[in-house]
Amino acid sequence: MSKHETQVTGGGRFLAVVILLAAGYLAGVTSRDATVQADVRRDEPQQEPFQTGDQRCEVVLREISATLGKMDARIERMEKLATQFVNHNGQPLPGETRPR
């Protein structure tokens, strides 16, 4: 292979690369859609993307408080049922202590 053939092949590769890059650029420019659409939802409350520590704690503490309230109500119902299960003799269930 002569020196002249190597230069033509190298120049041909360079030209092919430039043509392919230009074709890709033109395809990208012509296919780009420049319109933007957005919908505003009025039903959903706006939320901050990042909450501070006290804002997060407040939510968690409210959930804990609600859970404890449910547990307290259930325990109270269980205590009422337990006091109803007294023997016919009026003696309390084993393990139950009466206040003096």
Side-chain angles (χ1 to χ4, degrees):
M1 204 181 214
S2 70
K3 194 175 190 181
H4 180 352
E5 291 176 12
T6 306
Q7 289 177 351
V8 171
T9 308
R13 287 183 187 161
F14 179 72
L15 184 60
V17 169
V18 169
I19 289 173
L20 288 174
L21 285 174
Y25 175 75
L26 289 175
V29 169
T30 57
S31 67
R32 189 181 326 170
D33 189 13
T35 61
V36 176
Q37 296 177 355
D39 291 333
V40 177
R41 297 180 182 173
R42 301 196 192 287
D43 298 337
E44 296 180 12
Q46 296 251 347
Q47 289 186 341
E48 296 292 326
F50 299 102
Q51 294 179 337
T52 61
D54 61 337
Q55 290 172 333
R56 286 187 305 238
C57 288
E58 182 180 353
V59 172
V60 171
L61 289 174
R62 287 180 194 265
E63 290 174 2
I64 291 172
S65 175
T67 304
L68 288 175
K70 290 177 187 176
M71 289 173 61
D72 189 38
R74 290 176 185 167
I75 290 173
E76 186 177 341
R77 284 192 304 241
M78 290 168 62
E79 287 175 347
K80 286 180 183 177
L81 284 173
T83 56
Q84 292 175 0
F85 290 117
V86 177
N87 290 339
H88 295 298
N89 297 337
Q91 295 180 357
L93 291 174
E96 181 180 344
T97 58
R98 291 189 180 186
R100 295 180 194 187

